[in-house]
Amino acid sequence: DGVPSEALSRLVLDLAAAAEGDLEALGPVPKQGRAALLPATLARRLGARLRAAKGDPFQAAAELRARPDGLLPVHLWWAMRKRRL
């Protein structure tokens, strides 16, 4: 596993924040479009891991390998059931 520079960590956190903002701007998603936007659920979960790792993508990846997201299927199912991703 690598060690990121401070600049890389800031960039990763900035990108994650921008992606989160874009996902929030989606608003309610019609039922017909939810399946196409399910990767947004994955992006939110990864963004949370990146924030927990303080923007260190290497640490986030190591954490994901060590502790896979066992609740991901539940989150994907829930994203299909509700109107917001």
Side-chain angles (χ1 to χ4, degrees):
D1 293 318
V3 178
S5 66
E6 186 177 324
L8 176 62
S9 292
R10 276 194 316 267
L11 175 67
V12 167
L13 288 174
D14 288 348
L15 288 172
E20 184 69 26
D22 289 344
L23 293 173
E24 285 299 318
L26 279 176
V29 177
K31 189 172 187 173
Q32 308 89 300
R34 290 183 202 153
L37 293 173
L38 274 181
T41 301
L42 303 175
R44 282 183 192 270
R45 305 283 293 169
L46 182 56
R49 284 190 181 243
L50 287 168
R51 283 190 302 279
K54 297 181 177 70
D56 181 344
F58 304 112
Q59 176 61 33
E63 179 69 21
L64 188 56
R65 284 191 305 273
R67 287 187 324 125
D69 192 349
L71 291 177
L72 184 58
V74 173
H75 287 280
L76 292 172
W77 172 81
W78 186 245
M80 285 298 292
R81 301 277 306 160
K82 63 181 188 165
R83 294 187 65 203
R84 296 185 71 85
L85 296 172

